[in-house]
Amino acid sequence: MAATVQNVVTSGVFELDGGSWDVENNVWIVGDDAEVIVIDAAHDAARIAEAVGERAVRAIVSTHAHNDHVNAAPELARLTGAPILLHPDDRVLWDLTHPDRAPDGELADGQTLTIAGTDLRVLHTPGHAPGAVCLYAPDLGAVFTGDTLFHGGPGATGRSYSDYPTIVGSITERLFPLPEETVVHTGHGEHTTIGAEKQGATGWEKP
């Protein structure tokens, strides 16, 4: 069976810089009937584990370490035995949420993660967070962008450890060269395509 993409939406609170906001997060489960990876373990480990079922979780991949994307990761790791993977540049954010529990492994630009015979290539896309990454799966015609690129433009850059020119550079240099029909699976909200976002980017301030 070829790898498929499953979406679980969880609800919780995003906290940073002394503020808090109610959010809904997209959790992505990629794999087949035997094995999966989980992208962004948000808010509700038990619900994510229920969606995984009896399948083996090979990794819990964090696109970045804002609390709403990693707050359920240690508990999901405990339930499944899977390692948590994070780009090292986001350790400063991870430690705000989990100061006593380090990630189990590091993500690196150009690294390939393989699940159910499907490759996902790690693209380092800083800006929303210093260690933000996207995962490009050419065989699925999809890219998982976390909070780097949304339907309608870049992720937020108004808080600590973020930078607008950097995120625009990441999107234009790392994501926009992907095939225009590539489906963009985002960290929040609805999906989009690379082509649609390229068309809408004409008004962006370039770095």
Side-chain angles (χ1 to χ4, degrees):
M1 176 182 175
T4 59
V5 178
Q6 180 181 356
N7 179 218
V8 176
V9 179
T10 60
S11 300
V13 176
F14 166 51
E15 298 175 313
L16 188 65
D17 296 340
S20 62
W21 300 264
D22 292 333
V23 289
E24 290 189 336
N25 285 63
N26 289 322
V27 180
W28 300 101
I29 301 172
V30 182
D32 60 12
D33 287 342
E35 61 176 10
V36 299
I37 64 168
V38 174
I39 301 172
D40 287 345
H43 306 305
D44 193 336
R47 186 174 175 197
I48 299 167
E50 181 180 11
V52 168
E54 297 302 314
R55 295 175 290 179
V57 180
R58 302 302 184 195
I60 300 164
V61 182
S62 301
T63 61
H64 63 293
H66 283 151
N67 77 292
D68 59 317
H69 289 256
V70 301
N71 51 12
E75 176 63 11
L76 185 63
R78 187 189 68 79
L79 291 172
T80 64
I84 301 167
L85 306 181
L86 178 74
H87 192 284
D89 288 356
D90 249 31
R91 185 62 188 271
V92 62
L93 287 165
W94 172 274
D95 288 346
L96 295 176
T97 303
H98 301 299
D100 300 320
R101 204 291 191 191
D104 301 296
E106 295 184 350
L107 297 170
D109 185 60
Q111 177 182 356
T112 297
L113 306 175
T114 302
I115 191 70
T118 299
D119 290 341
L120 292 87
R121 189 166 79 242
V122 177
L123 306 175
H124 184 210
T125 53
H128 180 70
V133 302
C134 298
L135 301 171
Y136 175 48
D139 290 347
L140 300 179
V143 61
F144 301 87
T145 58
D147 289 0
T148 293
L149 180 64
F150 290 112
H151 183 283
T157 54
R159 302 186 182 99
S160 293
Y161 309 108
S162 65
D163 182 73
Y164 182 77
T166 301
I167 199 172
V168 171
S170 291
I171 293 167
T172 56
E173 295 167 16
R174 306 305 308 277
L175 298 182
F176 282 175
L178 300 179
E180 292 196 354
E181 64 273 17
T182 302
V183 176
V184 177
H185 293 303
T186 61
H188 308 270
E190 61 186 302
H191 68 271
T192 183
T193 65
I194 292 294
E197 297 314 309
K198 285 175 72 172
Q199 287 184 343
T202 53
W204 293 4
E205 175 189 343
K206 297 299 187 289

